[in-house]
Amino acid sequence: MQGETNSLVWRRLGDLATDVYAIAMNHDPEDIPGIPFFLAECRRKTFAAVYQLDKHIATVFDRPPRLSRHHSNSRMPLDVSNEELLVDVINREDMQFRLDSEGWNKDGQYSSATWVRLRYILGMFREEILEYPFLPATMRNGADLRDLSKRCHTTWESLPAHLCYTPGFWESGIPPAVCLMLTIVHLSYLQVDFQIYRMLGKSEREPLPQLLEFSAEILATLLQLGRSRDKAVFLHQDFSYLMLGFGLPSAIVLATALQANNMVGGQQVLPSCVSRSTLIRNLSVFIFHLESFGSHGEMNYSICAKASKVISRVLDGVLDSPNLASAHSSDPHSSFDIHEDTSTAVIPPAEPLSPDGGSIGAVDLPILDDEGLDEFNLPDWVSQIDWTGTSGQWSTF
């Protein structure tokens, strides 16, 4: 079984993009005379699914996308279930009674088309983001990135209420599978801002406050998902990939900020809305989850063990610092506006080191330096994840 980073898999993905262009799926089926409504929607839905997958892979592995909106005029599929398309006899005129002006269904129902539409929207923003690493770092480009973030927020705030994630969804009686998809889409939305402010902050000596805020929210959302794992048995297989794909980059940013905050006496780096004590607590629970994944000999176990050891060392340094008591007593932020994790967790000690400085039972991963986080390289780290175990072939992303 080949992983997604195997060269054969990459060639097959390239073949998929070639096939999309070869059969003109990038062109809207409205241009095809006499095409049935259901078939036109199936073509749009297929193109949207391939398009968002292309953007996800390009984002995760730091590679240029193969499909571009500049070479496509295919419209977004309507929020119509497969049953309505293939069982009921419907046409475009019927849709005006079932859908709103933006193409969302009026009944608050969830279907595969719902998730395809949401991911397609995020894919368009991701495509814009993927252009900036190849552009010179100028003030104009920085302003454009911030404008991109605002447009993403505006688009997301305009979504129907039943598509807007809240932690209370897990207790609302909504099916666990729907709650999981709402959580994943919300994490993908937060990841857009994470990418934007990570690029903007590369020229700064300190991480931008917005980057820390979005990182903290991503981490809090994942920990909420961890508390709800008993409600969705199928989540156990995908949870580690969500924690690695979304959680570790955010945890690295937050741990680095805590480390810097500790060095300057707790008076700088952290923005006013981010609580130092909450970050320590949430990072502790995150470490607990990392240490619970996999078993010896598995690729992801080695990565999780290495990441857990490095973040544990940072927390150990923060908690053992003589400045902790004074910094904590002067911390005015007794609450955190982002949903915080209240699970009871013990800070795990740093994993014992072998004589050569590596982690016992873990392969050497130079992308996570034993002495700190300065050398962390996200694309290199992602390429070492064993993605073959995720269910549904990238279903969680």
Side-chain angles (χ1 to χ4, degrees), residues 348-362:
E351 189 174 352
L353 297 179
S354 59
D356 62 356
S359 173
I360 295 178

Side-chain angles (χ1 to χ4, degrees), residues 33 54 95 151 239 287 354 375:
D54 175 60
M95 290 298 97
R151 286 191 284 116
F239 186 58
I287 291 171
S354 59
E375 300 303 318

Side-chain angles (χ1 to χ4, degrees), residues 23-259:
I23 63 177
M25 193 169 286
N26 55 315
H27 292 285
D28 192 80
E30 186 94 350
D31 302 332
I32 303 176
I35 186 171
F37 174 74
F38 82 91
L39 187 55
E41 283 301 303
C42 288
R43 285 178 62 96
R44 293 186 182 110
K45 189 175 178 179
T46 301
F47 175 78
V50 175
Y51 175 85
Q52 70 83 20
L53 176 61
D54 175 60
K55 301 307 166 294
H56 165 69
I57 296 175
T59 298
V60 170
F61 294 99
D62 195 29
R63 299 184 181 183
R66 294 182 173 95
L67 298 176
S68 170
R69 286 293 302 170
H70 297 299
H71 304 97
S72 167
N73 65 348
S74 179
R75 297 204 304 268
M76 188 160 52
L78 299 174
D79 188 12
V80 180
S81 68
N82 291 334
E83 291 74 18
E84 290 178 297
L85 280 178
L86 302 178
V87 178
D88 297 340
V89 180
I90 60 175
N91 53 44
R92 185 177 302 280
E93 288 69 29
D94 294 332
M95 290 298 97
Q96 63 181 323
F97 303 106
R98 304 190 186 194
L99 306 176
D100 64 18
S101 59
E102 297 298 323
W104 300 105
N105 76 80
K106 296 179 180 179
D107 300 326
Q109 299 298 313
Y110 304 95
S111 68
S112 59
T114 306
W115 314 125
V116 169
R117 284 171 59 89
L118 289 170
R119 287 168 159 176
Y120 184 72
I121 291 171
L122 291 172
M124 289 188 287
F125 288 111
R126 282 179 167 178
E127 180 176 341
E128 291 190 58
I129 293 173
L130 289 168
E131 296 177 1
Y132 284 92
F134 302 97
L135 301 177
T138 63
M139 293 182 62
R140 173 63 183 274
N141 289 336
D144 289 344
L145 278 171
R146 287 184 168 85
D147 179 68
L148 176 59
S149 175
K150 291 179 181 178
R151 286 191 284 116
C152 184
H153 290 182
T154 300
T155 300
W156 216 247
E157 290 167 359
S158 68
L159 294 176
H162 70 283
L163 299 178
C164 299
Y165 167 85
T166 64
F169 272 150
W170 289 97
E171 309 297 334
S172 66
I174 296 177
V178 173
C179 293
L180 174 60
M181 288 305 303
L182 288 170
T183 303
I184 293 171
V185 170
H186 181 65
L187 288 168
S188 300
Y189 161 66
L190 295 175
Q191 193 181 52
V192 170
D193 272 313
F194 178 89
Q195 291 176 260
I196 290 174
Y197 286 101
R198 190 165 179 261
M199 284 191 290
L200 288 172
K202 285 184 177 180
S203 60
E204 303 288 336
R205 297 185 62 182
E206 297 179 356
L208 296 176
Q210 296 92 331
L211 178 61
L212 298 180
E213 292 174 26
F214 289 116
S215 298
E217 187 170 356
I218 289 173
L219 186 60
T221 301
L222 283 167
L223 297 187
Q224 169 65 36
L225 187 62
R227 292 197 297 275
S228 304
R229 274 197 290 176
D230 60 334
K231 298 182 176 66
V233 177
F234 54 83
L235 175 57
H236 289 270
Q237 187 172 358
D238 287 339
F239 186 58
S240 64
Y241 297 94
L242 293 172
M243 295 293 283
L244 291 172
F246 292 108
L248 187 56
S250 299
I252 293 294
V253 168
L254 295 172
T256 303
L258 272 176
Q259 192 175 48

Side-chain angles (χ1 to χ4, degrees), residues 253-272:
V253 168
L254 295 172
T256 303
L258 272 176
Q259 192 175 48
N261 178 260
N262 185 63
M263 293 177 180
V264 297
Q267 300 300 317
Q268 299 178 25
V269 179
L270 296 182
S272 59

